Amino acid sequence: MPLWTLHGNGRTVEPGKVVHPSERLSWGATIAIGAQHVVAMFGATFLVPILTGFPVSTTLLFSGLGTLLFLVITRNKLPSYLGSSFAFIAPITALNAGKALETPLQITQALLGIVAAGVLLAIVGFIVQKAGVRWIDKLMPPVVAGSIVALIGFNLAPAAWNNFNQQPELATVTLVAVILFSVLFRGFLGRISIFLGVVVGYIVAALTNQVSFDAVAKAAWIGLPQFHLAGIGDGLAWAAVPMFLPVVLVLIAENVGHVRGVATMTEDPSINKHTGRALIADGVSTTLAGAFGGSGTTTYGENIGVMAATRVYSTAAYWVAGLVAILLAFSPKIGALFNTIPPGVLGGVTTALYGLIGVIGIKIWVDNRVDFSRPVNQYTVAVSFVIAIAGFAMGWGNFQLGAIVIGTVAALVIYHLGNFIARVRKTGADDGGPIPAVGQLGGDPLDAEAR
């Protein structure tokens, strides 16, 4: 029995139809769409190791391997690319005072945190596979989920400024390019505005002699990626593990959202049954990456955009994308090229990127119509945000808690304990659920009739 059945004539997608995960177009078209997925994931996936100090080639390798593992564990029924998760940037860089890691020891310490997050995510996946996702909705209602996602982005704001301030003119050009590409182009090009902004900033830097290609010239075309082992025997590494655990909540939200999105776009509710397997797969991928030197992974919204634009949800295209990423990982010259990106370019793109992570959290509130007239919701967000933006920290000896951990705990405690007290006292300060929709999207129909 073939892995995929041919969709129609293999060349076109009929109006109103989609290519389902179990189908494919001709191999030529499938390879072309797979290449689009590589371009879509590339801009974000290579930025994570650049910003954290991880080897680019190694991160690409485990991104590709993770994608193939994801397809196997989800039984080839759930299309997704597993790229580098931005949620890991904050806890990783916290090991070096908010900067990219500079020594192999720091990398091995960070890897242990990634492994721990991956194992925990896989455990959650097994529970979801047995019990469903309703308990996650109870633990992380929209106001809490949105707060945790957003505070991770806002916590990174000082890192964006540090890079921006080193080359403000170049950073400004890059930032403007990112914004312009997002509003000038429709469809696929608009969705990869981050990647295109980096390209523009890099070209400007090269033309103004702000890029050195010496390391690129010395690097070999073909070679093994640079591997590191997680610091299992390092006490300081274990002390840093708590900083990484809140990232699991973000990965859960991203994976659940990805599965629901694919199920909706393909009009196939049965895809939702694979939510547990998706979490297990991402957990296994993240654990594998962390064990040997790669960054943690997550399902990529950029690739959802490609599927929406092409109406092709075939998992065959993701096998192509994963294999291409693995091949690229065995070129040290490509890794060296990415390491030449100047701080100004990174500062410009991360000013937008980190803010967008915050906006994703806010969008969760909007989509679920969170009622911010309720004090419990107000304080859940207010306290966790100030903790994250200000960079609160506390510690006991080698055991340190960063702003993301403290902010996450604050959001969970304030919401659940606050709700309990408010409901017992019947003060009306609790979360009363989504506010009613007012009018229609796009304006008040009464005003439209009056006009």
Side-chain angles (χ1 to χ4, degrees), residues 8 197 206 304 312 322 376 399:
I304 281 275
V312 176
V376 164
F399 184 77

Side-chain angles (χ1 to χ4, degrees), residues 90-140:
I92 290 174
T93 54
L95 294 174
N96 193 31
K99 300 180 292 184
L101 305 186
E102 299 171 330
T103 67
L105 178 60
Q106 290 175 336
I107 291 176
T108 61
Q109 291 172 343
L111 290 175
L112 183 63
I114 294 172
V115 169
V119 170
L120 181 56
L121 181 61
I123 291 172
V124 171
F126 282 110
I127 297 173
V128 168
Q129 192 66 18
K130 293 294 183 182
V133 297
R134 291 189 63 183
W135 66 276
I136 294 177
D137 296 332
K138 293 289 185 182
L139 174 66
M140 283 198 310

Side-chain angles (χ1 to χ4, degrees), residues 268-293:
D268 183 3
S270 68
I271 286 177
N272 286 315
K273 294 188 298 184
H274 301 294
T275 301
R277 289 186 177 276
L279 293 168
I280 294 169
D282 193 10
V284 171
S285 171
T286 295
T287 302
L288 178 65
F292 297 104

Side-chain angles (χ1 to χ4, degrees), residues 255-267 271-272 304 313:
N255 277 275
V256 171
H258 179 89
V259 175
R260 288 174 177 171
V262 173
T264 299
M265 290 188 290
T266 59
E267 297 181 351
I271 286 177
N272 286 315
I304 281 275
Y313 298 86

Side-chain angles (χ1 to χ4, degrees), residues 27-49:
W27 281 114
T30 297
I31 291 171
I33 292 170
Q36 288 188 68
H37 282 298
V38 172
V39 174
M41 69 84 180
F42 216 76
T45 294
F46 85 78
L47 266 181
V48 173

Side-chain angles (χ1 to χ4, degrees), residues 28-361:
T30 297
I31 291 171
I33 292 170
Q36 288 188 68
H37 282 298
V38 172
V39 174
M41 69 84 180
F42 216 76
T45 294
F46 85 78
L47 266 181
V48 173
I50 292 294
L51 296 170
T52 58
F54 277 32
V56 174
S57 297
T58 314
T59 299
L60 278 175
L61 173 63
F62 287 106
S63 171
L65 286 174
T67 298
L68 302 189
L69 269 173
F70 185 94
L71 295 170
V72 170
I73 293 174
T74 58
R75 298 180 177 178
N76 212 35
K77 295 180 180 179
L78 184 59
S80 178
Y81 188 88
L82 292 192
S84 306
S85 171
F86 283 95
F88 283 100
I89 295 175
I92 290 174
T93 54
L95 294 174
N96 193 31
K99 300 180 292 184
L101 305 186
E102 299 171 330
T103 67
L105 178 60
Q106 290 175 336
I107 291 176
T108 61
Q109 291 172 343
L111 290 175
L112 183 63
I114 294 172
V115 169
V119 170
L120 181 56
L121 181 61
I123 291 172
V124 171
F126 282 110
I127 297 173
V128 168
Q129 192 66 18
K130 293 294 183 182
V133 297
R134 291 189 63 183
W135 66 276
I136 294 177
D137 296 332
K138 293 289 185 182
L139 174 66
M140 283 198 310
V143 66
V144 176
S147 298
I148 293 170
V149 173
L151 69 84
I152 287 178
F154 294 145
N155 176 252
L156 291 164
W161 169 242
N162 287 338
N163 280 323
F164 197 108
N165 196 35
Q166 292 183 51
Q167 296 172 308
E169 295 84 3
L170 185 57
T172 302
V173 169
T174 304
L175 178 58
V176 169
V178 169
I179 297 169
L180 285 178
F181 278 118
S182 70
V183 297
L184 280 174
F185 296 105
R186 298 177 180 176
F188 177 66
L189 288 179
R191 292 188 181 97
I192 61 169
S193 60
I194 293 287
F195 175 69
L196 296 177
V198 171
V199 171
V200 169
Y202 189 83
I203 291 173
V204 171
L207 292 176
T208 54
N209 296 318
Q210 298 182 72
V211 180
S212 173
F213 295 101
D214 293 342
V216 179
K218 295 176 182 177
W221 279 104
I222 299 175
L224 288 174
Q226 182 181 2
F227 296 105
H228 295 88
L229 298 178
I232 296 176
D234 188 336
L236 290 176
W238 283 103
V241 164
M243 292 194 299
F244 289 80
L245 299 185
V247 172
V248 174
L249 300 177
V250 179
L251 300 181
I252 291 170
E254 289 175 337
N255 277 275
V256 171
H258 179 89
V259 175
R260 288 174 177 171
V262 173
T264 299
M265 290 188 290
T266 59
E267 297 181 351
D268 183 3
S270 68
I271 286 177
N272 286 315
K273 294 188 298 184
H274 301 294
T275 301
R277 289 186 177 276
L279 293 168
I280 294 169
D282 193 10
V284 171
S285 171
T286 295
T287 302
L288 178 65
F292 297 104
S295 187
T297 59
T298 189
T299 50
Y300 255 27
E302 290 88 341
N303 296 91
I304 281 275
V306 174
M307 291 191 288
T310 61
R311 292 180 293 143
V312 176
Y313 298 86
S314 171
T315 55
Y318 285 98
W319 281 93
V320 172
L323 291 170
V324 170
I326 292 170
L327 291 175
L328 290 174
F330 286 93
S331 177
K333 193 172 286 291
I334 290 177
L337 181 64
F338 287 124
N339 284 325
T340 63
I341 298 176
V345 174
L346 297 177
V349 75
T350 54
T351 296
L353 194 60
Y354 296 161
L356 286 176
I357 297 173
V359 170
I360 291 170

Side-chain angles (χ1 to χ4, degrees), residues 417-432:
L417 183 59
N419 262 325
F420 174 76
I421 294 172
R423 286 168 183 168
V424 168
R425 294 288 298 163
K426 298 180 180 179
T427 60
D430 60 311
D431 182 2

